[in-house]
Amino acid sequence: MRIATGSDHAGLALKSGLVEYLESLDHTVTDHGTHGPESCDYPDFAAKVASAVASGEVDFGLLLCGTGVGMAITANKCAGIRAAVVSDPFSARATRQHNNANVLCMGERVVGLGLAREILAAWLDAEYEGGRHQRRIDKITALER
Ligand code: RB5
């Protein structure tokens, strides 16, 4: 899969660990930064990743910050984006199966690398189920207009 990723300074270490994990599984990762430990603003990176997902350039987005929350708030401002903050594998699976989420957000101050890898694996393995869920997604999409 093609995955765009981004983090602020507070999610940088988690991003590095997850990029390594994704590449070990042969996924293609585009890293939109940040690349250093200096303090920076999470909306700058969320906007880049959200736009790569919304344009169809990549299949999914992966955003990391201290909590994952600021990234999700920002990414969800972009039409076509369904970003979810997740801290357990059950929710990761459900956000794909039911919500057809296309951006996964996690917080480095919330989950460790081991759990984050499990969350990401659950997310990548799950598939959108369509059916009754599509009616609900259509109602979310209608709010964008
Ligand atoms: C940075 O200190 C922190 O506010 C940010 O990484 C994130 O948690 C915001 O949602």
PDB file of all heavy atoms in Angstrom, residues 7-11 39-43 64-74 106-110, ligand 1:
ATOM      1  N   SER A   7       4.300  13.884  11.187  1.00  0.00           N
ATOM      2  CA  SER A   7       4.242  14.042  12.645  1.00  0.00           C
ATOM      3  C   SER A   7       4.728  15.441  12.996  1.00  0.00           C
ATOM      4  O   SER A   7       5.347  16.113  12.166  1.00  0.00           O
ATOM      5  CB  SER A   7       5.160  13.033  13.348  1.00  0.00           C
ATOM      6  OG  SER A   7       6.523  13.434  13.200  1.00  0.00           O
ATOM      7  N   ASP A   8       4.454  15.844  14.233  1.00  0.00           N
ATOM      8  CA  ASP A   8       5.164  17.003  14.777  1.00  0.00           C
ATOM      9  C   ASP A   8       6.317  16.450  15.618  1.00  0.00           C
ATOM     10  O   ASP A   8       6.595  15.244  15.604  1.00  0.00           O
ATOM     11  CB  ASP A   8       4.204  17.926  15.556  1.00  0.00           C
ATOM     12  CG  ASP A   8       3.658  17.288  16.824  1.00  0.00           C
ATOM     13  OD1 ASP A   8       3.978  16.099  17.096  1.00  0.00           O
ATOM     14  OD2 ASP A   8       2.905  17.960  17.547  1.00  0.00           O
ATOM     15  N   HIS A   9       6.997  17.343  16.371  1.00  0.00           N
ATOM     16  CA  HIS A   9       8.136  16.909  17.188  1.00  0.00           C
ATOM     17  C   HIS A   9       7.713  15.858  18.220  1.00  0.00           C
ATOM     18  O   HIS A   9       8.468  14.950  18.532  1.00  0.00           O
ATOM     19  CB  HIS A   9       8.743  18.126  17.897  1.00  0.00           C
ATOM     20  CG  HIS A   9       7.724  18.887  18.700  1.00  0.00           C
ATOM     21  ND1 HIS A   9       6.752  19.658  18.097  1.00  0.00           N
ATOM     22  CD2 HIS A   9       7.496  18.945  20.036  1.00  0.00           C
ATOM     23  CE1 HIS A   9       5.979  20.186  19.043  1.00  0.00           C
ATOM     24  NE2 HIS A   9       6.407  19.760  20.218  1.00  0.00           N
ATOM     25  N   ALA A  10       6.468  15.960  18.730  1.00  0.00           N
ATOM     26  CA  ALA A  10       6.008  15.065  19.797  1.00  0.00           C
ATOM     27  C   ALA A  10       5.633  13.675  19.283  1.00  0.00           C
ATOM     28  O   ALA A  10       5.418  12.755  20.079  1.00  0.00           O
ATOM     29  CB  ALA A  10       4.817  15.690  20.527  1.00  0.00           C
ATOM     30  N   GLY A  11       5.571  13.525  17.967  1.00  0.00           N
ATOM     31  CA  GLY A  11       5.238  12.214  17.407  1.00  0.00           C
ATOM     32  C   GLY A  11       6.360  11.646  16.555  1.00  0.00           C
ATOM     33  O   GLY A  11       6.213  10.586  15.938  1.00  0.00           O
ATOM     34  N   SER A  39      10.599  22.095  17.946  1.00  0.00           N
ATOM     35  CA  SER A  39       9.159  22.283  18.112  1.00  0.00           C
ATOM     36  C   SER A  39       8.551  22.824  16.817  1.00  0.00           C
ATOM     37  O   SER A  39       9.103  23.715  16.177  1.00  0.00           O
ATOM     38  CB  SER A  39       8.932  23.266  19.266  1.00  0.00           C
ATOM     39  OG  SER A  39       7.560  23.465  19.437  1.00  0.00           O
ATOM     40  N   CYS A  40       7.415  22.258  16.435  1.00  0.00           N
ATOM     41  CA  CYS A  40       6.759  22.677  15.184  1.00  0.00           C
ATOM     42  C   CYS A  40       5.254  22.517  15.357  1.00  0.00           C
ATOM     43  O   CYS A  40       4.782  22.093  16.413  1.00  0.00           O
ATOM     44  CB  CYS A  40       7.293  21.850  14.012  1.00  0.00           C
ATOM     45  SG  CYS A  40       7.087  20.080  14.257  1.00  0.00           S
ATOM     46  N   ASP A  41       4.501  22.854  14.315  1.00  0.00           N
ATOM     47  CA  ASP A  41       3.041  22.914  14.425  1.00  0.00           C
ATOM     48  C   ASP A  41       2.376  21.760  13.683  1.00  0.00           C
ATOM     49  O   ASP A  41       2.473  21.666  12.448  1.00  0.00           O
ATOM     50  CB  ASP A  41       2.548  24.243  13.861  1.00  0.00           C
ATOM     51  CG  ASP A  41       3.154  25.430  14.605  1.00  0.00           C
ATOM     52  OD1 ASP A  41       3.503  25.270  15.796  1.00  0.00           O
ATOM     53  OD2 ASP A  41       3.271  26.511  13.992  1.00  0.00           O
ATOM     54  N   TYR A  42       1.655  20.914  14.431  1.00  0.00           N
ATOM     55  CA  TYR A  42       1.047  19.715  13.819  1.00  0.00           C
ATOM     56  C   TYR A  42       0.118  20.009  12.639  1.00  0.00           C
ATOM     57  O   TYR A  42       0.057  19.201  11.698  1.00  0.00           O
ATOM     58  CB  TYR A  42       0.343  18.852  14.883  1.00  0.00           C
ATOM     59  CG  TYR A  42      -0.741  19.557  15.658  1.00  0.00           C
ATOM     60  CD1 TYR A  42      -2.021  19.682  15.142  1.00  0.00           C
ATOM     61  CD2 TYR A  42      -0.488  20.111  16.912  1.00  0.00           C
ATOM     62  CE1 TYR A  42      -3.019  20.345  15.852  1.00  0.00           C
ATOM     63  CE2 TYR A  42      -1.472  20.779  17.619  1.00  0.00           C
ATOM     64  CZ  TYR A  42      -2.733  20.892  17.081  1.00  0.00           C
ATOM     65  OH  TYR A  42      -3.712  21.543  17.769  1.00  0.00           O
ATOM     66  N   PRO A  43      -0.610  21.145  12.576  1.00  0.00           N
ATOM     67  CA  PRO A  43      -1.498  21.328  11.417  1.00  0.00           C
ATOM     68  C   PRO A  43      -0.751  21.363  10.081  1.00  0.00           C
ATOM     69  O   PRO A  43      -1.308  20.969   9.046  1.00  0.00           O
ATOM     70  CB  PRO A  43      -2.183  22.679  11.701  1.00  0.00           C
ATOM     71  CG  PRO A  43      -2.117  22.829  13.177  1.00  0.00           C
ATOM     72  CD  PRO A  43      -0.797  22.232  13.562  1.00  0.00           C
ATOM     73  N   LEU A  64       1.033  11.277  13.480  1.00  0.00           N
ATOM     74  CA  LEU A  64       1.446  11.104  14.864  1.00  0.00           C
ATOM     75  C   LEU A  64       1.763  12.448  15.490  1.00  0.00           C
ATOM     76  O   LEU A  64       2.470  13.258  14.889  1.00  0.00           O
ATOM     77  CB  LEU A  64       2.715  10.232  14.923  1.00  0.00           C
ATOM     78  CG  LEU A  64       2.706   8.801  14.383  1.00  0.00           C
ATOM     79  CD1 LEU A  64       1.456   8.045  14.790  1.00  0.00           C
ATOM     80  CD2 LEU A  64       2.967   8.730  12.905  1.00  0.00           C
ATOM     81  N   CYS A  65       1.224  12.659  16.690  1.00  0.00           N
ATOM     82  CA  CYS A  65       1.635  13.819  17.485  1.00  0.00           C
ATOM     83  C   CYS A  65       1.631  13.372  18.945  1.00  0.00           C
ATOM     84  O   CYS A  65       1.722  12.169  19.204  1.00  0.00           O
ATOM     85  CB  CYS A  65       0.744  15.037  17.211  1.00  0.00           C
ATOM     86  SG  CYS A  65      -0.991  14.870  17.647  1.00  0.00           S
ATOM     87  N   GLY A  66       1.531  14.299  19.886  1.00  0.00           N
ATOM     88  CA  GLY A  66       1.568  13.889  21.290  1.00  0.00           C
ATOM     89  C   GLY A  66       0.387  12.996  21.646  1.00  0.00           C
ATOM     90  O   GLY A  66       0.537  11.967  22.309  1.00  0.00           O
ATOM     91  N   THR A  67      -0.798  13.406  21.206  1.00  0.00           N
ATOM     92  CA  THR A  67      -2.020  12.649  21.520  1.00  0.00           C
ATOM     93  C   THR A  67      -2.702  12.057  20.296  1.00  0.00           C
ATOM     94  O   THR A  67      -3.593  11.209  20.442  1.00  0.00           O
ATOM     95  CB  THR A  67      -3.059  13.582  22.172  1.00  0.00           C
ATOM     96  OG1 THR A  67      -3.339  14.648  21.240  1.00  0.00           O
ATOM     97  CG2 THR A  67      -2.547  14.167  23.477  1.00  0.00           C
ATOM     98  N   GLY A  68      -2.384  12.541  19.124  1.00  0.00           N
ATOM     99  CA  GLY A  68      -3.091  12.162  17.890  1.00  0.00           C
ATOM    100  C   GLY A  68      -4.301  13.055  17.632  1.00  0.00           C
ATOM    101  O   GLY A  68      -4.823  13.109  16.514  1.00  0.00           O
ATOM    102  N   VAL A  69      -4.726  13.777  18.645  1.00  0.00           N
ATOM    103  CA  VAL A  69      -5.988  14.523  18.553  1.00  0.00           C
ATOM    104  C   VAL A  69      -5.880  15.738  17.635  1.00  0.00           C
ATOM    105  O   VAL A  69      -6.733  15.966  16.766  1.00  0.00           O
ATOM    106  CB  VAL A  69      -6.477  14.937  19.962  1.00  0.00           C
ATOM    107  CG1 VAL A  69      -7.699  15.828  19.857  1.00  0.00           C
ATOM    108  CG2 VAL A  69      -6.786  13.702  20.792  1.00  0.00           C
ATOM    109  N   GLY A  70      -4.830  16.528  17.805  1.00  0.00           N
ATOM    110  CA  GLY A  70      -4.669  17.712  16.963  1.00  0.00           C
ATOM    111  C   GLY A  70      -4.549  17.332  15.494  1.00  0.00           C
ATOM    112  O   GLY A  70      -5.095  18.019  14.607  1.00  0.00           O
ATOM    113  N   MET A  71      -3.864  16.234  15.228  1.00  0.00           N
ATOM    114  CA  MET A  71      -3.727  15.760  13.848  1.00  0.00           C
ATOM    115  C   MET A  71      -5.089  15.406  13.274  1.00  0.00           C
ATOM    116  O   MET A  71      -5.408  15.741  12.129  1.00  0.00           O
ATOM    117  CB  MET A  71      -2.811  14.531  13.800  1.00  0.00           C
ATOM    118  CG  MET A  71      -1.349  14.830  14.057  1.00  0.00           C
ATOM    119  SD  MET A  71      -0.699  15.898  12.750  1.00  0.00           S
ATOM    120  CE  MET A  71       1.064  15.701  12.990  1.00  0.00           C
ATOM    121  N   ALA A  72      -5.909  14.705  14.062  1.00  0.00           N
ATOM    122  CA  ALA A  72      -7.229  14.279  13.568  1.00  0.00           C
ATOM    123  C   ALA A  72      -8.149  15.476  13.354  1.00  0.00           C
ATOM    124  O   ALA A  72      -8.853  15.551  12.342  1.00  0.00           O
ATOM    125  CB  ALA A  72      -7.852  13.285  14.543  1.00  0.00           C
ATOM    126  N   ILE A  73      -8.126  16.409  14.279  1.00  0.00           N
ATOM    127  CA  ILE A  73      -8.973  17.607  14.135  1.00  0.00           C
ATOM    128  C   ILE A  73      -8.619  18.320  12.832  1.00  0.00           C
ATOM    129  O   ILE A  73      -9.492  18.696  12.057  1.00  0.00           O
ATOM    130  CB  ILE A  73      -8.803  18.559  15.341  1.00  0.00           C
ATOM    131  CG1 ILE A  73      -9.409  17.926  16.596  1.00  0.00           C
ATOM    132  CG2 ILE A  73      -9.429  19.917  15.059  1.00  0.00           C
ATOM    133  CD1 ILE A  73      -9.129  18.714  17.873  1.00  0.00           C
ATOM    134  N   THR A  74      -7.333  18.467  12.576  1.00  0.00           N
ATOM    135  CA  THR A  74      -6.894  19.168  11.367  1.00  0.00           C
ATOM    136  C   THR A  74      -7.241  18.376  10.109  1.00  0.00           C
ATOM    137  O   THR A  74      -7.824  18.923   9.161  1.00  0.00           O
ATOM    138  CB  THR A  74      -5.375  19.400  11.400  1.00  0.00           C
ATOM    139  OG1 THR A  74      -5.011  19.977  12.646  1.00  0.00           O
ATOM    140  CG2 THR A  74      -4.939  20.310  10.266  1.00  0.00           C
ATOM    141  N   MET A 106      -2.325   8.570  15.889  1.00  0.00           N
ATOM    142  CA  MET A 106      -1.978   8.028  17.206  1.00  0.00           C
ATOM    143  C   MET A 106      -1.118   9.042  17.958  1.00  0.00           C
ATOM    144  O   MET A 106      -0.499   9.922  17.346  1.00  0.00           O
ATOM    145  CB  MET A 106      -1.207   6.713  17.067  1.00  0.00           C
ATOM    146  CG  MET A 106      -2.078   5.559  16.632  1.00  0.00           C
ATOM    147  SD  MET A 106      -1.196   3.984  16.660  1.00  0.00           S
ATOM    148  CE  MET A 106      -0.515   3.942  15.012  1.00  0.00           C
ATOM    149  N   GLY A 107      -1.069   8.872  19.274  1.00  0.00           N
ATOM    150  CA  GLY A 107      -0.303   9.774  20.117  1.00  0.00           C
ATOM    151  C   GLY A 107       0.888   9.078  20.747  1.00  0.00           C
ATOM    152  O   GLY A 107       0.732   8.055  21.417  1.00  0.00           O
ATOM    153  N   GLU A 108       2.057   9.665  20.553  1.00  0.00           N
ATOM    154  CA  GLU A 108       3.286   9.092  21.135  1.00  0.00           C
ATOM    155  C   GLU A 108       3.271   9.154  22.660  1.00  0.00           C
ATOM    156  O   GLU A 108       3.932   8.368  23.327  1.00  0.00           O
ATOM    157  CB  GLU A 108       4.504   9.838  20.576  1.00  0.00           C
ATOM    158  CG  GLU A 108       5.820   9.262  21.025  1.00  0.00           C
ATOM    159  CD  GLU A 108       7.018  10.003  20.444  1.00  0.00           C
ATOM    160  OE1 GLU A 108       7.021  10.301  19.242  1.00  0.00           O
ATOM    161  OE2 GLU A 108       7.953  10.278  21.227  1.00  0.00           O
ATOM    162  N   ARG A 109       2.496  10.109  23.221  1.00  0.00           N
ATOM    163  CA  ARG A 109       2.404  10.209  24.677  1.00  0.00           C
ATOM    164  C   ARG A 109       1.319   9.287  25.225  1.00  0.00           C
ATOM    165  O   ARG A 109       1.065   9.279  26.433  1.00  0.00           O
ATOM    166  CB  ARG A 109       2.126  11.663  25.076  1.00  0.00           C
ATOM    167  CG  ARG A 109       3.273  12.608  24.702  1.00  0.00           C
ATOM    168  CD  ARG A 109       2.932  14.071  24.903  1.00  0.00           C
ATOM    169  NE  ARG A 109       4.016  14.933  24.449  1.00  0.00           N
ATOM    170  CZ  ARG A 109       3.881  16.232  24.209  1.00  0.00           C
ATOM    171  NH1 ARG A 109       2.719  16.838  24.381  1.00  0.00           N
ATOM    172  NH2 ARG A 109       4.915  16.935  23.783  1.00  0.00           N
ATOM    173  N   VAL A 110       0.674   8.548  24.332  1.00  0.00           N
ATOM    174  CA  VAL A 110      -0.444   7.678  24.724  1.00  0.00           C
ATOM    175  C   VAL A 110      -0.107   6.203  24.523  1.00  0.00           C
ATOM    176  O   VAL A 110      -0.386   5.368  25.385  1.00  0.00           O
ATOM    177  CB  VAL A 110      -1.713   8.029  23.896  1.00  0.00           C
ATOM    178  CG1 VAL A 110      -2.899   7.170  24.323  1.00  0.00           C
ATOM    179  CG2 VAL A 110      -2.046   9.516  24.012  1.00  0.00           C
TER     180      VAL A 110
HETATM  181  C1  RB5 B   1       2.597  19.272  21.224  1.00  0.00           C
HETATM  182  O1  RB5 B   1       3.036  19.674  22.484  1.00  0.00           O
HETATM  183  C2  RB5 B   1       1.193  18.677  21.337  1.00  0.00           C
HETATM  184  O2  RB5 B   1       0.289  19.658  21.678  1.00  0.00           O
HETATM  185  C3  RB5 B   1       0.795  18.029  20.028  1.00  0.00           C
HETATM  186  O3  RB5 B   1       1.750  17.087  19.684  1.00  0.00           O
HETATM  187  C4  RB5 B   1      -0.517  17.265  20.022  1.00  0.00           C
HETATM  188  O4  RB5 B   1      -0.622  16.404  21.109  1.00  0.00           O
HETATM  189  C5  RB5 B   1      -1.717  18.042  19.778  1.00  0.00           C
HETATM  190  O5  RB5 B   1      -2.822  17.483  19.622  1.00  0.00           O
END
